[in-house]
Amino acid sequence: MKYFLLAFLSIAVLLNSCKKDDDNDDDNKTTNIMPSKFKVDIPESISSTDLQKSTSDAPLQGNEIYENLRTFIHIGEFSADVVSEIMQAIATHGIDEAMTFSFVSDDDGRTKDVAVTENVSINDVTWEYALLMQDEDGDTAMQILWNRDPVVGIATLNPYDMNRNENEALQNVMYQVEYSEAGDMGYENHMIVQISGWPIVENYSINNLKMFAGKNGTTIDVFGNSNHPIARLVDSTYTEGLNWAFVAQGFTDSDIATAKVALATCNLQDTTNMFEDYSIYSVLNNELHSVYDPYITEWGNDTIQAIFNYYLQNTHAPAYFDETGFVSCGVSNMPSTPSGFSNLSLSGLKPYIPYDIDNLLVKFLE
């Protein structure tokens, strides 16, 4: 997981390579046709990766259980940040019409060629503008398709071709951000973040991720899946991998949120009853029984289950969060303070099908 985040942070240095030398050119700012915004901001209560408070004396803390949820949502949001900032760095070249230009990357010393064209039709969809950035050998590094009014677009990026000094293991990594202010999909604005091809280097490594975030007023809905093909929890004999599926809702004005998580198998082809059959409690409880039952049979089933229930007391759904992180979990334990938790609802939200995310392959549009 740390490798994944560090690799993402290394992509951020690409911004300086894309920028024009004079970043204070007012003409560029007023005539720029690039979108000024290309993401949905997600409340920190469910997107912060900071270590946060303990909330009980249970051996398995709520913040430990949901740390991965916040990390995965943070990765999705951060990828959208990277794309948005690269777009704004490119915009310093004064892009006000169809044009071509080149620049030498500060990172890998290679020439990047940029072409902006108008009225581009791809897959029977006509875009007002398209931007294509290529490495000097012709490999595509970035593609942006967008309309200005309302702002709708798709940005796709290959970090290796943006910076050839990156690890060659990232050659097949792709990520994509779809963004819309057209009011479609039932939201004032929304984004869909997709990532595929990250190399697997440790137990919880992500290779693919897909996340949706939609905003109406101060309400943010988030759902998605991260795929971990070699992940194991308690049972060392487990071989099916984990698909971390989640739904969440939060408020931007009070920074509170609620979420549910399912630890599904990577090959699951349906979301029906996912949050019951693959809830955190169910999966961990089953694995604990599988591993420890043969060694503690003399304790009796009731005693064994009582021990497991104590260990898993912070795993029930839904979970509630505020600006400090995990607060409590379970319908009967909804926090009374801060106010507003009763107005949150996960009804109607569902993640993507795990099998589809396991086989996700992000590509440049043709």
Side-chain angles (χ1 to χ4, degrees):
M1 190 63 62
K2 291 181 180 178
Y3 168 80
F4 192 98
L5 289 173
L6 288 172
F8 255 107
L9 289 172
S10 71
I11 296 172
V13 301
L14 297 170
L15 303 178
N16 289 330
S17 297
C18 298
K19 286 182 180 178
K20 189 176 182 178
D21 291 337
D22 183 6
D23 292 338
N24 297 314
D25 187 343
D26 291 334
D27 290 337
N28 290 341
K29 295 179 182 178
T30 57
T31 61
N32 172 33
I33 59 174
M34 300 286 289
S36 60
K37 182 178 181 180
F38 212 75
K39 64 162 289 190
V40 173
D41 294 316
I42 299 174
E44 288 192 0
S45 53
I46 51 173
S47 65
S48 171
T49 59
D50 294 337
L51 294 177
Q52 300 171 359
K53 66 180 182 182
S54 298
T55 55
S56 75
D57 61 354
L60 188 58
Q61 294 292 319
N63 274 323
E64 295 171 348
I65 296 167
Y66 289 97
E67 180 180 3
N68 284 340
L69 169 68
R70 295 192 304 272
T71 298
F72 304 151
I73 292 177
H74 175 75
I75 288 170
E77 184 178 34
F78 184 70
S79 66
D81 283 331
V82 169
V83 169
S84 295
E85 292 175 13
I86 289 176
M87 289 170 62
Q88 292 310 303
I90 294 172
T92 63
H93 289 269
I95 299 175
D96 57 358
E97 60 183 352
M99 61 192 305
T100 60
F101 63 92
S102 300
F103 65 92
V104 176
S105 169
D106 293 337
D107 299 304
D108 62 9
R110 296 170 67 88
T111 299
K112 311 297 179 183
D113 299 312
V114 180
V116 179
T117 52
E118 298 180 8
N119 299 319
V120 176
S121 181
I122 296 180
N123 295 335
D124 297 323
V125 177
T126 299
W127 298 94
E128 187 177 2
Y129 292 100
L131 181 148
L132 189 68
M133 180 187 296
Q134 294 179 309
D135 183 68
E136 62 185 40
D137 66 3
D139 288 339
T140 300
M142 188 172 192
Q143 177 194 58
I144 308 171
L145 307 167
W146 77 98
N147 297 329
R148 290 184 297 174
D149 188 19
V151 174
V152 178
I154 302 175
T156 309
L157 171 67
N158 176 273
Y160 178 72
D161 284 316
M162 293 287 290
N163 178 7
R164 287 292 181 87
N165 286 337
E166 289 289 349
N167 190 319
E168 290 190 5
L170 301 183
Q171 288 188 57
N172 295 321
V173 175
M174 298 285 293
Y175 63 100
Q176 184 178 84
V177 177
E178 299 180 42
Y179 178 73
S180 174
E181 296 179 359
D184 48 340
M185 297 188 70
Y187 293 89
E188 295 167 4
N189 57 321
H190 75 266
M191 70 176 180
I192 300 172
V193 179
Q194 300 187 83
I195 304 170
S196 71
W198 280 93
I200 303 301
V201 296
E202 59 186 8
N203 182 34
Y204 287 106
S205 288
I206 301 172
N207 64 341
N208 302 330
L209 177 146
K210 186 172 183 177
M211 185 186 81
F212 173 95
K215 181 178 185 294
N216 278 325
T218 61
T219 302
I220 305 291
D221 289 341
V222 185
F223 59 83
N225 309 58
S226 59
N227 197 66
H228 313 258
I230 65 170
R232 295 176 178 176
L233 297 171
V234 181
D235 186 354
S236 62
T237 66
Y238 184 81
T239 60
E240 296 183 77
L242 287 175
N243 188 280
W244 200 280
F246 56 88
V247 295
Q249 185 177 86
F251 295 143
T252 58
D253 56 347
S254 56
D255 202 15
I256 62 173
T258 185
K260 291 193 296 187
V261 171
L263 302 178
T265 58
C266 294
N267 58 4
L268 185 66
Q269 299 189 39
D270 192 359
T271 59
T272 304
N273 297 323
M274 173 188 286
F275 289 107
E276 292 76 32
D277 298 342
Y278 296 94
S279 69
I280 296 177
Y281 175 85
S282 294
V283 171
L284 288 178
N285 186 60
N286 289 339
E287 289 209 12
L288 287 171
H289 277 290
S290 176
V291 172
Y292 293 107
D293 278 2
Y295 305 102
I296 52 178
T297 53
E298 70 277 7
W299 291 4
N301 292 336
D302 291 343
T303 300
I304 293 172
Q305 190 59 59
I307 294 172
F308 290 169
N309 286 344
Y310 169 71
Y311 185 77
L312 300 174
Q313 64 183 270
N314 287 320
T315 62
H316 298 284
Y320 303 99
F321 307 85
D322 64 15
E323 70 278 1
T324 65
F326 177 85
V327 179
S328 64
C329 65
V331 175
S332 61
N333 294 318
M334 179 186 294
S336 58
T337 56
S339 62
F341 281 102
S342 61
N343 297 322
L344 291 166
S345 174
L346 301 176
S347 176
L349 299 181
K350 64 179 182 179
Y352 300 103
I353 294 173
Y355 177 84
D356 293 342
I357 308 306
D358 188 36
N359 293 278
L360 182 67
L361 183 61
V362 177
K363 298 180 179 180
F364 292 110
L365 277 64
E366 298 179 351

